[in-house]
Amino acid sequence: MNEANEKQLPNLEEMDEREARHFLTELLSHLDPEEEYSVRHEDYVMEMPQSGERIRGRERMREFQRAYPTPPHGVTIRLRRVLVREGLWVVEGVYDYGGGEQGLDVVMICELRDGKMWRDRWYFAEPFEAPEWRAEWVEQMEAGASSS
């Protein structure tokens, strides 16, 4: 993408929650390394704390995405909720590998700088069976349901 095209991109820091949700829904439905590259800051960093991995630089992230082994049914990320605060997006969703398996809950904390994604931290959680001892105080949620 050339510099003229990059200047036409939206300033992510100016988006409200509705705009950010729409933007992320579009971006994450394609999972296109080239499209995502254009909205990342040149000093972009992605971290996945559970695995202890970090990817530095938007070029390195694009290389990673190009090499990512896509399962036969594809990968989707379904958003549940997007919170926008000054320079920060907190995103809840479901990361689904397809093929009928239950997806992973994912929380992404995205820091913005200069109108672009600067630093992302992705937290993945596998579902687990709730212990019976706490049934008296809790109600069961439908898998993948948002909090309303």
Side-chain angles (χ1 to χ4, degrees):
M1 175 163 288
N2 67 35
E3 193 173 314
N5 286 341
E6 281 201 34
K7 289 181 182 176
Q8 295 174 359
L9 294 171
N11 182 331
L12 304 185
E13 291 176 281
E14 294 175 354
M15 291 185 178
D16 63 20
E17 287 177 3
R18 183 188 55 78
E19 293 166 325
R21 182 183 182 95
H22 177 75
F23 172 80
L24 287 170
T25 298
E26 289 294 311
L27 187 70
L28 298 175
S29 68
H30 303 129
L31 296 176
D32 177 3
E34 307 312 316
E35 187 177 352
E36 291 183 38
Y37 178 87
S38 67
V39 298
R40 291 191 176 116
H41 193 276
E42 63 184 31
D43 296 328
Y44 176 80
V45 175
M46 184 218 200
E47 297 174 330
M48 295 169 283
Q50 288 96 341
S51 62
E53 296 172 294
R54 176 181 297 127
I55 301 170
R56 286 191 190 276
R58 68 181 185 172
E59 185 62 44
R60 190 78 172 158
M61 185 64 189
R62 181 166 60 179
E63 291 170 8
F64 168 79
Q65 285 182 289
R66 285 176 175 166
Y68 192 83
T70 305
H73 302 287
V75 172
T76 61
I77 300 174
R78 186 176 75 254
L79 297 183
R80 282 195 201 126
R81 198 167 131 181
V82 177
L83 299 175
V84 172
R85 299 298 181 265
E86 189 174 318
L88 182 72
W89 291 356
V90 178
V91 182
E92 291 180 54
V94 177
Y95 194 90
D96 187 358
Y97 287 98
E101 293 182 34
Q102 186 171 356
L104 299 175
D105 287 315
V106 62
V107 172
M108 179 179 80
I109 300 173
C110 180
E111 295 176 68
L112 306 174
R113 181 181 282 175
D114 302 327
K116 294 187 175 200
M117 293 178 167
W118 172 60
R119 182 179 214 92
D120 290 344
R121 289 180 65 91
W122 290 61
Y123 295 90
F124 295 92
E126 292 185 15
F128 62 90
E129 198 66 38
E132 286 187 36
W133 69 264
R134 59 187 187 204
E136 178 179 344
W137 299 281
V138 301
E139 63 185 68
Q140 289 297 307
M141 294 176 18
E142 183 179 320
S146 67
S147 57
S148 346

